[in-house]
Amino acid sequence: MRITFDFAAVLTQWPLLLRGVAWTLALTAVSAVLGVAIGVGGAWARSAGPRWLRTVAGAYVELVRNTPFIVQLFFVFFGLPAAGVKLSPETASVIAMVVNLGAYATEIVRAGLEATPRGQLEAAASLALTRAQTFFHVVLPPALRKVWPALVSQIVIVMLGSAVCGQISTEELSYAANLIQSRNFRAFEAFIVATGVYLLLALALRRALNWAGPRFLFGSRA
């Protein structure tokens, strides 16, 4: 049996693919900003917050890290409507991705915070800096610098995980590929193209974040 491939049948659907890429990047951008912000807050709560807050943050981290992302996504999209909270597929996807990234970012950032030399804290105290000033100007920047590669990797993982969001009809890249193959029955070609696009997105995103982090987040241009 002779097998023929027709990638043109997929590539001619480039508007669908482009829309999928746009949604994937949009979901990732919003999730990265909010997820890392939650991670910073959660890391502070787990390392320096009051006991009750450490307990809450710890429970959140353990719950999210020990359950599948698709279950978290389905809970937000299918479970919350039972409580009267109805969300669009895109909103549900963002919430699930933010919650997921926030938990992993909490542990990543916490590792950086706990690696802060005690001498830096003593120097901040000698300058009569407030706790907030010490955290944001003395502790957080070097902590982010230490853990930035791990954070970048986690953001890339979340971007790739956004493919699951097509299961609730979010029009990201995997949804576009599945829609294309349902129209022309070229599943092999459609998902090969999607695989290549995901690979390019992951490499580009990693490079962009590794470039942007030192310049805009923790002040090092080295």
Side-chain angles (χ1 to χ4, degrees):
M1 182 178 68
R2 184 178 179 182
I3 300 176
T4 59
F5 301 109
D6 185 9
F7 285 95
V10 175
L11 297 177
T12 54
Q13 301 292 320
W14 64 266
L16 273 177
L17 292 171
L18 188 60
R19 180 178 176 83
V21 169
W23 269 111
T24 296
L25 292 177
L27 292 171
T28 303
V30 175
S31 301
V33 172
L34 298 181
V36 171
I38 290 174
V40 170
W44 174 85
R46 295 208 70 186
S47 60
R51 177 175 296 181
W52 69 267
L53 191 55
R54 291 200 301 268
T55 301
V56 171
Y60 158 63
V61 168
E62 293 303 318
L63 175 64
V64 172
R65 293 177 70 195
N66 291 288
T67 54
F69 173 65
I70 192 169
V71 173
Q72 299 162 17
L73 178 66
F74 282 2
F75 173 79
V76 173
F77 187 68
F78 296 114
L80 290 184
V85 181
K86 189 172 183 180
L87 302 169
S88 68
E90 293 77 19
T91 302
S93 298
V94 167
I95 291 174
M97 290 171 67
V98 167
V99 169
N100 185 271
L101 177 58
Y104 285 92
T106 292
E107 289 301 278
I108 292 171
V109 176
R110 182 166 74 104
L113 296 181
E114 293 182 348
T116 302
R118 186 169 184 82
Q120 290 187 9
L121 300 177
E122 293 173 349
S126 69
L127 294 173
L129 297 181
T130 65
R131 291 185 65 184
Q133 288 173 326
T134 299
F135 180 75
F136 286 108
H137 298 291
V138 177
V139 177
L140 186 59
L144 285 178
R145 186 180 301 113
K146 291 185 181 78
V147 302
W148 188 244
L151 273 177
V152 169
S153 293
Q154 193 60 46
I155 292 170
V156 171
I157 289 172
V158 168
M159 186 273 289
L160 296 175
S162 69
V164 175
C165 298
Q167 297 296 314
I168 61 170
S169 299
T170 302
E171 297 181 20
E172 43 71 54
L173 180 56
S174 71
Y175 177 91
N178 193 44
L179 182 60
I180 290 170
Q181 70 86 23
S182 71
R183 292 178 175 178
N184 58 25
F185 305 104
R186 290 290 178 177
F188 181 85
E189 294 92 330
F191 288 109
I192 282 290
V193 170
T195 298
V197 174
Y198 273 119
L199 176 61
L200 292 175
L201 288 177
L203 294 175
L205 180 61
R206 187 181 300 275
R207 182 177 291 272
L209 290 175
N210 282 331
W211 175 85
R215 287 164 175 78
F216 302 110
L217 289 181
F218 37 84
S220 171
R221 296 179 181 270

